[in-house]
Amino acid sequence: MDFTPTEEQAAARDLAARIFGDLSTHERLTAAGTGSDAELWKALCEAGLPAAVEDIGLLGLVLLLEEQGRTTAQVPFAASCVYGLLAVSAHGSAEQRERLLPAIGDGTVVVTGALPEAAVQVGGSGELSGVIPAVPWLRDATHVLVADDEHGLWLVRTVDARCDPVELTAPWSAGRLTLDATPGEPLGEPLGGRLGERQGGSEAAAAGQDAYDDVLATARTAFAGLQAGVCAGSVARAVAHTNTREQFGRPLATKQGVQLRAADAYMDTEAIRVTAYEAAWRRDEGLDYATHALTAAWWASEAGHRVVHAGQHLHGGMGADLDHPVHRHFLWGRQLDAYLGCGSEVLQELGALIVDGEGDA
């Protein structure tokens, strides 16, 4: 294993760090409220960062998402890259790749995903019906990737569906998705092929399950990388605060209890980072990574929960201030704790995968 970024990955990471650092400031985040930052999203797309993910792979995306997490930048970067660019690139048809990838890369098409929420039902002519209570970044999306009851993947245009705003723990521009005989486009197959699959095509059904599993594992890996950045930002803020805040004439950082709490948070953050790197690297290398993605998701949930609580606690009373920057890291960390499966859920899934003998080496 070699997680050393390539020259292209490092350049993209450094560019992302500069853009996020310049534009995702406390003042701009305050002004944005719970919505997205359109100017920041435009800057990222003009810099070619979403489009670059097709070349720098999942590990490159994880590096970019770490930088987003450090600043809790409110843009649909992770969702559109995972459910859009990487999903279409890996599982879309040639026509879908030609039509959608350039538009996703330049930001004119934004894709989000409703995995692994309750599956939607498919009608005889490919119409989709169902309600998904909360889809992150739905208010920004032009398309949403949903799964049917056999784990087939479908792209739905948001203009064809009903999208009602909802608020999550973190400000992710979420919405309630209602499909009522809504037209959908099967990912990677013509409509007839997908409907034929539903009538008993076992080979096609297996391919659909593989695509679903890959997209979900990719999403878990990517959002674990985002959590690593959120936690790193929380720890950095806590370190800065405890080094400058004094008690009885001494900085808080000189106290052993503070040092131990910060050290534990740092080690948890590194565990999230390295497991996300490993899962992403294995996918990029074409290796099995199902168990590695679940391991990264478990660390992101369990350790991420601990880190953002520690970051807030180390700020003392200031950490309880809803307007303080560290509170955003707390909200993001708690949202990511449960997104795509909380720790106990992914641990159960990991155990079942190992018991069934399907885990990778």
Side-chain angles (χ1 to χ4, degrees):
M1 293 180 292
D2 184 4
F3 305 148
T4 304
T6 65
E7 185 177 342
E8 188 178 17
Q9 289 171 337
R13 177 197 60 199
D14 294 344
L15 177 58
R18 185 163 66 251
I19 294 174
F20 284 127
D22 290 345
L23 295 182
S24 186
T25 62
H26 174 58
E27 293 73 21
R28 288 178 60 86
L29 288 168
T30 300
T34 61
S36 296
D37 188 331
E39 183 180 342
L40 173 57
W41 179 241
K42 181 180 178 181
L44 292 168
C45 294
E46 288 180 346
L49 288 175
V53 172
E54 192 174 0
D55 296 321
I56 63 178
L58 183 54
L59 180 56
L61 176 60
V62 166
L63 294 172
L64 301 184
L65 293 178
E66 275 193 82
E67 301 306 324
Q68 179 185 359
R70 290 180 200 276
T71 60
T72 59
Q74 292 172 198
V75 287
F77 193 62
S80 199
C81 287
V82 168
Y83 301 119
L85 193 139
L86 291 179
V88 173
S89 178
H91 305 290
S93 65
E95 187 277 331
Q96 287 173 331
R97 293 195 296 272
E98 181 179 358
R99 169 168 50 91
L100 293 173
L101 290 180
I104 297 171
D106 65 22
T108 54
V109 167
V110 176
V111 185
T112 189
L115 279 61
E117 297 289 345
V120 300
Q121 303 299 311
V122 184
S125 301
E127 300 91 355
L128 306 176
S129 297
V131 177
I132 302 173
V135 180
W137 308 111
L138 184 63
R139 283 178 264 167
D140 298 327
T142 60
H143 295 71
V144 57
L145 188 69
V146 301
D148 62 34
D149 53 2
E150 295 182 6
H151 283 178
L153 296 176
W154 301 74
L155 281 168
V156 176
R157 298 193 310 163
T158 53
V159 294
D160 296 329
R162 178 176 174 180
C163 304
D164 300 309
V166 299
E167 297 299 337
L168 302 180
T169 300
W172 284 4
S173 296
R176 175 187 177 92
L177 180 69
T178 302
L179 306 176
D180 185 8
T182 303
E185 175 185 359
L187 182 65
E189 294 183 40
L191 185 58
R194 177 67 72 191
L195 294 181
E197 166 193 325
R198 297 180 65 79
Q199 295 171 358
S202 58
E203 185 175 333
Q209 180 68 51
D210 288 345
Y212 174 88
D213 290 342
D214 177 61
V215 172
L216 181 55
T218 299
R220 282 171 165 162
T221 303
F223 281 95
L226 184 62
Q227 180 75 302
V230 169
C231 291
S234 178
V235 172
R237 291 189 183 280
V239 169
H241 174 76
T242 56
N243 272 299
T244 56
R245 185 77 169 183
E246 293 189 356
Q247 188 178 64
F248 305 117
R250 298 173 57 197
L252 288 173
T254 62
K255 300 183 180 298
Q256 188 179 45
V258 172
Q259 294 172 357
L260 293 174
R261 191 79 189 274
D264 286 342
Y266 174 81
M267 293 303 297
D268 272 338
T269 300
E270 288 301 298
I272 300 169
R273 175 181 289 116
V274 74
T275 52
Y277 282 7
E278 182 179 14
W281 176 83
R282 290 183 66 89
R283 183 186 189 274
D284 290 343
E285 292 296 313
L287 302 172
D288 291 336
Y289 74 110
T291 56
H292 297 78
L294 287 166
T295 301
W298 182 84
W299 274 104
S301 176
E302 294 290 310
H305 177 104
R306 291 194 296 266
V307 171
V308 296
H309 274 262
Q312 193 169 36
H313 187 200
L314 288 171
H315 278 76
M318 294 179 66
D321 183 355
L322 301 185
D323 296 323
H324 194 282
V326 77
H327 190 66
R328 293 194 190 90
H329 293 271
F330 176 79
L331 295 178
W332 278 64
R334 290 307 307 267
Q335 186 71 55
L336 287 163
D337 167 17
Y339 185 54
L340 301 179
C342 67
S344 58
E345 291 173 327
V346 297
L347 190 62
Q348 182 179 19
E349 191 175 338
L350 176 60
L353 198 64
I354 294 173
V355 169
D356 291 343
E358 297 179 6
D360 36 87

